[in-house]
Amino acid sequence: QAEVLKKPEWIRVKAGSPTTRFYEIKDILRKNNLHTVCEEASCPNIGECFGKGTATFMIMGDKCTRRCPFCDVGHGRPDPLDVNEPLNLARTIAALRLKYVVITSVDRDDLRDGGSGHFVECIKNIRELSPETQIEILVPDFRGRDDRALEILKSAPPDVMNHNLETAPRLYKEARPGSDYQFSLNLLKKFKELHPNVPTKSGIMVGLGETDEEILQVMRDMRAHNIDMLTIGQYLAPTNSHLPVRRYVHPDTFKMFEEEAYKMGFTHAAVGAMVRSSYHADQQAHAAGV
Ligand code: SF4
Ligand code: SF4
């Protein structure tokens, strides 16, 4: 049994009082049978994000075909795609008058297009009903199907293309079995070549056993693959059977990563203990000129 590190004081989150908007959003989500990462991952920022009209939706079910030992999403044989989901999602986003949405999914290695067609259907339906809403997609790696997925995405590209590298390449075998560091970098680079005006974005967690230098190297690799925007946050183990937290990164170190990020040329860097891939996604996108 790994030693459980004590949480430092900067990790404790102050629970803000939920706003009326928060309850309104929850209510509409339940009625439409939609899932948000915000709720399922018990994200500490939920009051703030829902209050401002931002949410992260999880499409294509809640069972992943991979098993990353840091992740709390369920595994197993995924359900068939719900053909009504794109319209349902678009109607919900319109009813909620959301200005900025992040759409993500589990890995669907069982689908021939990796789920890219379903992403595109969601984007098209949202554009139709909410033409002003900005759409960020946080995609799986489409490994083995990337060219097909990129081709499909051409018909309705998002406003921001996000795919997380999550950790340093040395830790992939342990933390991201089934994924490949260079493959993920190439996916974002190829997308950028096809859509030079759409910002690309990627995120890293710290606390999985990496060194500061390894994080800086991941950041350099991102820039070498033309990734525009960066998020770095502290890994928090969802339960004791997940990978243990190997260190809590000090706020001064986060500050250093942030300063280095701007020196390397990222247009926006959201860096801090409680930062999540979609935290302040709207502001990150504004900073990137979306
Ligand atoms: Fe949802 Fe992301 Fe905000 Fe968390 S940070 S509440 S997951 S939008
Ligand atoms: Fe979780 Fe994504 Fe890994 Fe699936 S691929 S287990 S959703 S991190």
Side-chain angles (χ1 to χ4, degrees), residues 37-39 41 43-47 49-50 54-56 102 274 276-280:
V37 175
C38 322
E39 291 173 291
C43 181
N45 306 316
I46 193 166
C49 289
F50 278 20
T54 310
T56 299
V102 181
M274 301 318 286
R276 297 295 172 261
S277 185
S278 51
Y279 182 53
H280 285 177

Side-chain angles (χ1 to χ4, degrees), residues 2-244:
E3 184 196 351
V4 177
L5 298 180
K6 189 172 171 293
K7 277 188 188 162
E9 36 85 23
W10 63 81
I11 290 296
R12 294 189 190 118
V13 199
K14 284 185 240 88
S17 50
T19 56
T20 326
R21 183 98 171 103
F22 174 84
Y23 289 113
E24 183 198 354
I25 293 184
K26 268 189 167 284
D27 194 44
I28 297 181
L29 288 173
R30 285 304 75 73
K31 281 184 189 138
N32 288 283
N33 193 28
L34 284 171
H35 298 282
T36 60
V37 175
C38 322
E39 291 173 291
E40 300 203 355
S42 314
C43 181
N45 306 316
I46 193 166
E48 187 185 346
C49 289
F50 278 20
K52 283 192 321 178
T54 310
T56 299
F57 292 91
M58 178 124 105
I59 58 171
M60 298 193 270
D62 55 5
K63 288 191 216 83
C64 189
T65 47
R66 299 206 195 155
R67 273 172 191 274
C68 305
F70 60 83
C71 173
D72 208 15
V73 168
H75 317 284
R77 182 193 290 261
D79 300 318
L81 286 182
D82 171 6
V83 291
N84 298 317
E85 186 172 57
L87 182 58
N88 210 4
L89 175 67
R91 284 191 179 139
T92 304
I93 287 166
L96 291 170
R97 305 178 308 281
L98 296 178
K99 295 190 215 75
Y100 194 101
V101 293
V102 181
I103 302 170
T104 190
S105 79
V106 289
D107 259 67
R108 292 293 305 246
D109 293 327
D110 57 313
L111 300 175
R112 281 165 47 133
D113 68 354
S116 52
H118 200 77
F119 267 103
V120 158
E121 282 309 306
C122 290
I123 295 172
K124 285 182 177 162
N125 278 274
I126 299 166
R127 296 255 189 254
E128 178 100 18
L129 299 188
S130 307
E132 304 289 315
T133 298
Q134 304 281 306
I135 306 170
E136 172 175 328
I137 58 174
L138 170 58
V139 295
D141 62 12
F142 301 125
R143 197 166 172 204
R145 305 159 177 81
D146 55 320
D147 288 329
R148 183 192 292 234
L150 289 169
E151 188 60 39
I152 290 172
L153 280 172
K154 272 188 197 161
S155 68
D159 297 299
V160 173
M161 173 72 163
N162 188 351
H163 172 63
N164 288 331
L165 289 176
E166 309 287 14
T167 187
R170 181 177 58 84
L171 299 174
Y172 261 53
K173 222 169 147 194
E174 177 186 28
R176 305 206 69 199
S179 304
D180 181 272
Y181 181 72
Q182 189 60 48
F183 188 94
S184 286
L185 281 169
N186 291 349
L187 176 74
L188 286 164
K189 186 172 182 194
K190 286 193 213 168
F191 178 90
K192 188 77 190 174
E193 279 161 9
L194 295 167
H195 308 276
N197 297 324
V198 178
T200 48
K201 173 174 169 182
S202 190
I204 320 171
M205 296 176 292
V206 289
L208 286 167
E210 74 296 324
T211 63
D212 291 352
E213 176 47 36
E214 284 178 313
I215 295 298
L216 291 167
Q217 188 55 46
V218 174
M219 290 161 62
R220 286 182 213 113
D221 292 342
M222 286 180 179
R223 288 300 299 136
H225 292 76
N226 299 327
I227 295 169
D228 302 301
M229 298 157 73
L230 169 73
T231 60
I232 307 180
Q234 170 70 49
Y235 167 63
L236 300 173
T239 69
N240 285 344
S241 45
H242 286 84
L243 283 182

